[in-house]
Amino acid sequence: MGKLSLQEKLALLSDAAKYDASCASSGTTRRDSKDGKGLGSTEGSGICHAYAPDGRCISLLKILMTNFCIYDCAYCINRVSSGVARARFTPEEVVHLTIEFYRRNYIEGLFLSSGIIRSPDDTMADMVRIARMLREDHNFRGYIHLKTIPDAAPELIEQAGLLADRLSMNVELPTDAGLKAYAPEKNAAGIRRAMGGVRARKEAAAEKSHTGKRGAKFAPAGQSTQLIVGADGANDATILQSSTRLYGDYKLKRVYYSAFSPIPDSTAKLPLIKPPLIREHRLYQADWLMRFYGFEADEIAPDAGMLDLEIDPKLAWALANRHAFPVDVNTGARAALLRVPGFGTKSVQRILAARRNGALGYADLKRIGALVKKAQPFIVARDWSPGALTDAANLRARFAPPPEQLSLF
Amino acid sequence: MTYTVPLPRLGTFAAWRSAARALAGARVPPEQIIWMPDGSQAGLFDAPPQPLPEARAPVTATKAFLTLAEQMCCHRDPRTFDLAYQLLLGMQTGRHKLSNRADVVVNHAQQIAKNIRRDRHKMRAFVRFREVTQAGANRRSFVAWFEPDHRIEELNAPFFARRFADMDWAIVTPEVTTTFRLGEVTHTAVAATPPDLHDDTEALWRTYYANIFNPARLKIKAMQSEMPKKYWKNLPEADLIPDLIAGAEARVMQMRETAPSLPPVRAQRILDRLPRRQEGDI
């Protein structure tokens, strides 16, 4: 094999990175380069600089340092047993691409991940070196997300957290059994230990010392993880329970759900499927309900274990819990309004503020931005009452798509 | 009596603000004011510009209103200046409250400001700098061409100044050229056409764009709602899109039909060398 050009390496190592769903660049500390001595800024919410035809935002330069890997995870394009072409960036090349892309306003920063080479420590040390070159040699003040190698030495994770905005470790499979079957070299207990370590380190950084000073910021945009959906047999209830644990026990900022997607050169162990995109979408909706709408996992995941693909989980919950409705938009508590289908957190905020000026009617809700058509069976307003609609037997049919007709040849 | 207020192309908000403060201080009703943004023709029966009235009452405005009004003043529709004034006047009497989204005027104003913020956000996202550094220069220089929907150049310049402070740059729009040299921002209202520039790094960016795309998850509508076609002509990566879409299905088919290959010989050697996980570890 001849020497690969930078462009050839970039092609291979971005292709290898695309199965990671995260591209967030939000929620870190505010920084800028107004002093003229550096490059970059971060201001609350990140920016998506492009969108690929898969509808995903491109906010970060998402690449692998190398796709050589000594692990054999069945779902992964980079597993040791795959015949995919291999490449490796030098740290200088990663730094060059990041800085030059950033200067042209293509990206918000770098999301660096890697296959495991030689040993977890060697891999992590190289990644830390890249982040340090960016921060110290180039005064780079943009966003850095480092994928952490769970088995790496704590000192390396410590350094990574001081340089990066976000750290992540991918659990990938929602159950330990799934991990054992499909990612035999990964270690569930080790991942949990490392995530717990990052949480503890973050909390220590947030605490003031006896002099009232705070320690150096540690991964200010938090840590995240990813679960693959549809590769193993885990159902939605199981997935949502693991998310609840991940948010609760490790204070994760985000859990990403990634529909298992065909990869070139698959393994016989894990046959390719059509990626379950709607299921992935419903899981994200459910995840949002748990984080911003006050729902618990066991409320949303039905007994059968799978979310309804035809209607969103909030509507499904409302249809199954009609006794909680209708809610009066002019007197209802915030928590009750948040459970109304068609009301987002923003609409609820606006309803609470607007109703202080007088009772709200149907048209007011529309102006406020609520999806009134969806909400109407579940609410009472100044000039609106759903009557028997709330309990109508055919209510689900109003929202679910009509059954698809079989076409004749 | 009618007041005609000329509003220059640059410094529009400052001009609107000082006139609005004076007019609202005299409680001049909105229908007696003609806001005349730069480039608009004076009507045949419009009164010539005249001194603003004496203030009769104090005028107060919240910080939130000033932010909103600054954004509104970027809008191309000249009626927006009138709407912003209506809102300011109504806030003096308590008739309009910014927090009340059920209020028709407030809601209209907020929606206009939201459009401006979207335009501003898309400019931050889709400006593409091309390098024009001269040989021997000690600061690197870049130029971008961008076509915003509204007059947001001044609103957006501080963002680029905070972000790209260690290099010189210019953003050229059809109406305004913004330059940043040695830490200083300057705006010039001058008509311009797209400059003819070339940057080799774009080949790398296009490589990245093509390879980060997952053909098994084609979602064209989702892409276009966030990156509408009107922006494509100025994005160096966008002409790859049709071929990426056209080839997607065949690529996925090929992945599916290719039988799993035999692992390379080295795979087993590497796996054998890995330390075995202890049972009960998981």
Side-chain angles (χ1 to χ4, degrees):
Chain A
M1 191 173 72
K3 206 167 171 279
L4 295 174
S5 71
L6 181 58
Q7 191 160 357
E8 288 165 327
K9 288 187 190 177
L10 178 60
L12 286 172
L13 293 170
S14 48
D15 188 73
K18 70 175 147 216
Y19 302 96
D20 223 307
S22 167
C23 203
S25 55
S26 302
T28 189
T29 42
R30 294 179 82 88
R31 300 187 295 263
D32 62 46
S33 53
K34 264 195 304 205
D35 59 8
K37 291 188 194 108
L39 173 69
S41 61
T42 50
E43 321 196 330
S45 58
I47 298 168
C48 298
H49 287 274
Y51 288 82
D54 53 21
R56 280 182 166 171
C57 133
I58 300 174
S59 172
L60 302 171
L61 170 63
K62 182 160 44 171
I63 46 175
L64 260 58
M65 196 172 68
T66 175
N67 64 343
F68 284 102
C69 189
I70 55 178
Y71 286 6
D72 200 26
C73 307
Y75 49 81
C76 184
I77 178 181
N78 305 312
R79 67 185 188 285
V80 65
S81 60
S82 143
V84 74
R86 307 282 171 169
R88 181 178 182 174
F89 280 130
T90 65
E92 287 75 16
E93 285 170 331
V94 175
V95 169
H96 172 82
L97 285 171
T98 307
I99 295 288
E100 294 307 314
F101 279 15
Y102 197 91
R103 286 199 186 283
R104 287 162 180 79
N105 203 40
Y106 302 158
I107 53 169
E108 293 288 288
L110 173 68
F111 177 2
L112 186 63
S113 183
S114 182
I116 313 281
I117 37 170
R118 298 196 300 274
S119 79
D121 279 354
D122 289 341
T123 309
M124 196 68 227
D126 280 352
M127 294 171 75
V128 167
R129 206 180 129 216
I130 289 170
R132 174 159 295 127
M133 283 162 72
L134 281 169
R135 291 281 191 241
E136 292 174 5
D137 302 347
H138 294 266
N139 280 310
F140 178 66
R141 290 159 198 177
Y143 193 92
I144 299 180
H145 177 164
L146 292 181
K147 177 70 74 61
T148 324
I149 316 286
D151 293 334
E155 307 85 71
L156 289 168
I157 296 182
E158 161 82 20
Q159 291 169 36
L162 291 172
L163 294 163
D165 294 283
R166 170 168 286 187
L167 298 179
S168 66
M169 277 168 243
N170 283 1
V171 176
E172 303 290 19
L173 295 170
T175 62
D176 289 4
L179 210 56
K180 202 168 175 180
Y182 296 111
E185 293 80 24
K186 279 205 182 205
N187 168 357
I191 295 173
R192 283 196 283 269
R193 204 162 36 240
M195 288 197 299
V198 170
R199 176 194 169 174
R201 183 60 187 76
K202 256 187 87 59
E203 283 169 356
E207 242 165 56
K208 286 182 186 164
S209 73
H210 65 284
T211 56
K213 268 197 195 146
R214 259 181 238 281
K217 289 257 181 343
F218 189 85
Q223 57 173 335
S224 64
T225 193
Q226 167 168 292
L227 298 172
I228 297 179
V229 178
D232 65 348
N235 68 18
D236 293 341
T238 308
I239 293 174
L240 292 173
Q241 295 295 357
S242 358
S243 303
T244 305
R245 265 197 311 278
L246 289 164
Y247 285 125
D249 295 353
Y250 308 106
K251 296 279 175 287
L252 290 197
K253 203 69 168 254
R254 279 292 292 276
V255 174
Y256 291 90
Y257 306 93
S258 181
F260 179 53
S261 165
I263 48 172
D265 195 21
S266 58
T267 156
K269 240 166 133 187
L270 201 55
L272 295 183
I273 53 165
K274 198 173 158 62
L277 296 182
I278 300 182
R279 186 176 168 205
E280 178 194 278
H281 177 60
R282 296 288 181 233
L283 280 167
Y284 274 117
Q285 290 178 316
D287 184 275
W288 244 253
L289 291 181
M290 298 194 300
R291 288 191 297 143
F292 305 115
Y293 291 82
F295 283 88
E296 302 282 342
D298 53 6
E299 284 181 290
I300 336 170
D303 300 333
M306 295 301 274
L307 295 168
D308 195 326
L309 292 182
E310 287 179 347
I311 54 174
D312 69 78
K314 194 185 196 188
L315 181 59
W317 179 85
L319 289 172
N321 292 277
R322 314 258 185 120
H323 56 86
F325 298 101
V327 172
D328 188 331
V329 297
N330 289 305
T331 57
R334 186 167 180 273
L337 292 171
L338 280 171
R339 291 189 169 228
V340 174
F343 285 6
T345 48
K346 236 186 213 166
S347 307
V348 169
Q349 215 47 53
R350 287 175 184 172
I351 288 168
L352 294 173
R355 74 186 188 186
R356 271 177 274 175
N357 301 296
L360 302 176
Y362 193 90
D364 293 324
L365 293 172
K366 223 169 156 176
R367 248 195 308 280
I368 274 170
L371 300 176
V372 195
K373 263 230 166 86
K374 197 166 193 182
Q376 61 185 13
F378 305 105
I379 55 166
V380 172
R382 191 188 66 232
D383 52 0
W384 170 259
S385 159
L389 193 55
T390 313
D391 295 310
N394 62 352
L395 195 50
R396 186 178 195 279
R398 284 168 61 106
F399 298 107
E404 252 176 76
Q405 223 167 40
L406 295 174
S407 58
L408 296 171
F409 284 102
Chain B
M1 160 125 181
T2 306
Y3 295 91
T4 304
V5 185
L7 297 168
R9 177 64 178 84
L10 292 174
T12 316
F13 173 61
W16 177 88
R17 183 182 174 173
S18 71
R21 192 195 292 120
L23 291 160
R27 298 294 187 262
V28 176
E31 54 278 10
Q32 285 179 19
I33 309 168
I34 297 170
W35 300 98
M36 239 177 45
D38 199 34
S40 65
Q41 293 292 316
L44 191 56
F45 303 106
D46 288 349
Q50 55 203 289
L52 295 171
E54 293 281 309
R56 291 198 329 241
V59 180
T60 57
T62 57
K63 221 176 149 204
F65 172 77
L66 289 175
T67 305
L68 181 76
E70 184 179 12
Q71 291 167 2
M72 290 174 78
C73 283
C74 297
H75 204 280
R76 289 222 180 267
D77 185 344
R79 286 172 300 182
T80 309
F81 300 110
D82 186 56
L83 183 69
Y85 180 74
Q86 235 183 77
L87 195 55
L88 175 67
L89 206 59
M91 286 173 70
Q92 307 309 310
T93 58
R95 203 176 140 213
H96 297 310
K97 282 199 198 98
L98 282 196
S99 62
N100 186 8
R101 285 298 291 254
D103 180 324
V104 180
V105 171
V106 171
N107 187 55
H108 189 190
Q110 296 279 15
Q111 267 175 355
I112 284 173
K114 190 180 169 190
N115 283 338
I116 296 298
R117 286 195 300 271
R118 182 177 164 90
D119 198 30
R120 178 179 72 178
H121 185 79
K122 292 301 175 195
M123 181 173 174
R124 292 175 181 183
F126 299 145
V127 153
R128 297 282 184 263
F129 283 117
R130 289 177 166 147
E131 182 153 29
V132 294
T133 308
Q134 302 290 318
N138 59 359
R139 261 168 92 87
R140 293 178 66 183
S141 314
F142 294 81
V143 172
W145 165 258
F146 191 75
E147 296 169 52
D149 287 344
H150 297 285
R151 296 184 280 224
I152 55 170
E153 294 92 348
E154 289 170 279
L155 189 70
N156 235 350
F159 167 81
F160 290 98
R162 287 192 296 272
R163 175 160 289 199
F164 300 106
D166 73 346
M167 61 194 219
D168 291 337
W169 49 264
I171 300 174
V172 184
T173 74
E175 296 170 17
V176 172
T177 294
T178 304
T179 52
F180 181 84
R181 191 148 297 142
L182 298 170
E184 289 297 318
V185 175
T186 332
H187 298 282
T188 328
V190 55
T193 50
D196 185 19
L197 298 169
H198 175 83
D199 190 322
D200 286 337
T201 302
E202 282 178 5
L204 289 170
W205 170 241
R206 287 161 57 86
T207 301
Y208 177 65
Y209 183 80
N211 283 285
I212 202 69
F213 160 58
N214 183 348
R217 302 178 54 107
L218 208 53
K219 279 190 186 173
I220 302 168
K221 254 202 234 151
M223 167 189 64
Q224 283 197 15
S225 75
E226 294 299 338
M227 197 167 85
K229 276 192 166 164
K230 66 179 175 191
Y231 295 110
W232 290 15
K233 63 177 187 293
N234 293 322
L235 295 170
E237 67 275 21
D239 64 355
L240 295 166
I241 294 171
D243 283 349
L244 289 176
I245 294 173
E249 208 183 310
R251 284 171 68 189
V252 179
M253 285 284 278
Q254 203 196 344
M255 290 182 212
R256 245 187 268 274
E257 279 164 9
T258 312
S261 63
L262 284 176
V265 191
R266 61 182 177 83
Q268 200 50 52
R269 278 204 315 267
I270 294 171
L271 287 172
D272 286 345
R273 276 208 306 267
L274 284 180
R276 288 288 112 205
R277 292 251 174 253
Q278 299 280 307
E279 273 310 309
D281 208 1
I282 291 179

